[in-house]
Amino acid sequence: MPLTHSYRMLAHTGIRSAVLLALGLLLVAWPGPATAREEGHAREEGRARKVEGDRHEQEKPEKLAFDMVVAAGAQRCLPNAAGHVSIQAAGQNQRMQVKVEGLPPHRVFTLFVLQVPTGPFGLSWYQGDIETDEEGEGSRDFLGIFSSETFVIAQAVRPAPQTHPGVDALTNPDTAPVHMYHLGMWFSDPGDAVAAGCSNGTTPFDGDHVAGIQVLNTSNFPDTAGPLGQFE
C-alpha cells in the first residue's frame, strides 16, 4: 500500500529526532577542550605526586651513622673517649648500636636519649647501660624508636611513683610533644669517675639517681637538630 504524505512526514520527523538525540548524547559524553585540559592537568599532577613520593622514599636513609664526642667535663681526664652510633630499620622500630672506646676498663656507663646534649638538660630518657671490656671498649644494641618520631608527651599533671622518696618528682610536668634527638652517656658510679681522674661531681643520670659526670654526647649537632631526627 503506498505511504500517505502524512505518514512519510511522520517517519522523516522520527528519523530526524533520533539523529539529533544521538548527536546530543555524543556531545554530552565528549569532553570539551577545557575539560580535556583539566583532566590532562590532573593526570600530570598525579604523576608528579607519585614521582615526588618515590623520590622521598628513596631519600629515606636505610642506615644512619654518626659520632658522639667527649663531653666538656671529661676532655681533660678522657681525651681519647669516643662513641660511634649506627641506626637501621628493624620492622616498625629501629635498632641502634652504640660503640664506645677510650674509656676506663670494666666500668658501667649509662646512656640517655636527650632533648639537648649538654647541661642544663631538658627532658631525658634512660635508655640503658654499656659496660666496657679490658680494652676500655664497649658495645650495646638497643631496639626502640630512634628517629624523627622520638618524643615525650604529658597531657595532664598526674601523681608520679615515689621509687626514691625525696628525690623523685611528686608529679609530672604538663607538656605538648617534645622531640628528643640527642644522646648522652654518664659514669654510672661517681667513684668510677674519680678513679679515672675525672671530677667527683654527682648527677642523677642512673637508675638510683647517683651517677658521675657526663662522658660523651652529641653536642657536635645543634641543640634542636640532633642526629636521631635524621632517621625517618
Side-chain angles (χ1 to χ4, degrees):
M1 177 184 295
L3 296 174
T4 65
H5 177 72
S6 297
Y7 187 83
R8 286 197 300 272
M9 290 294 294
L10 183 60
H12 287 309
T13 301
I15 293 171
R16 187 165 54 251
S17 298
V19 171
L20 291 175
L21 178 60
L23 289 173
L25 292 174
L26 182 61
L27 289 174
V28 170
W30 184 264
T35 303
R37 284 196 299 271
E38 291 172 358
E39 291 180 352
H41 289 322
R43 285 194 296 270
E44 288 297 327
E45 290 176 358
R47 282 194 290 267
R49 283 194 296 270
K50 183 178 185 303
V51 170
E52 177 65 20
D54 292 342
R55 184 181 65 81
H56 183 66
E57 288 294 328
Q58 293 171 359
E59 288 179 352
K60 289 184 178 180
E62 295 183 359
K63 187 174 183 179
L64 175 68
F66 57 89
D67 292 334
M68 298 177 69
V69 297
V70 184
Q75 289 178 355
R76 178 185 59 81
C77 56
L78 298 173
N80 298 319
H84 312 285
V85 183
S86 63
I87 300 175
Q88 59 185 3
Q92 297 300 313
N93 300 298
Q94 292 85 45
R95 186 178 303 279
M96 179 173 70
Q97 183 181 69
V98 181
K99 294 182 177 181
V100 295
E101 60 186 38
L103 298 171
H106 303 297
R107 294 293 183 266
V108 177
F109 297 85
T110 59
L111 181 73
F112 279 73
V113 176
L114 307 171
Q115 178 185 347
V116 293
T118 59
F121 297 96
L123 295 171
S124 309
W125 169 264
Y126 187 9
Q127 187 59 52
D129 294 341
I130 300 176
E131 185 174 2
T132 56
D133 59 17
E134 64 276 2
E135 301 295 331
E137 300 177 353
S139 178
R140 180 61 61 89
D141 286 2
F142 303 95
L143 184 66
I145 300 297
F146 307 109
S147 68
S148 60
E149 296 184 351
T150 303
F151 75 99
V152 295
I153 183 174
Q155 294 181 311
V157 176
R158 304 299 297 270
Q162 295 300 292
T163 306
H164 303 93
V167 178
D168 293 333
L170 297 176
T171 61
N172 64 280
D174 181 6
T175 178
V178 177
H179 288 268
M180 303 162 62
Y181 296 154
H182 283 281
L183 297 177
M185 196 176 79
W186 279 258
F187 275 104
S188 175
D189 188 330
D192 291 342
V194 174
C198 299
S199 166
N200 63 351
T202 299
T203 67
F205 290 90
D206 193 10
D208 59 2
H209 307 322
V210 181
I213 65 169
Q214 189 187 54
V215 177
L216 297 170
N217 60 39
T218 50
S219 60
N220 45 330
F221 293 86
D223 281 0
T224 57
L228 299 187
Q230 297 178 15
F231 197 94
E232 297 186 4

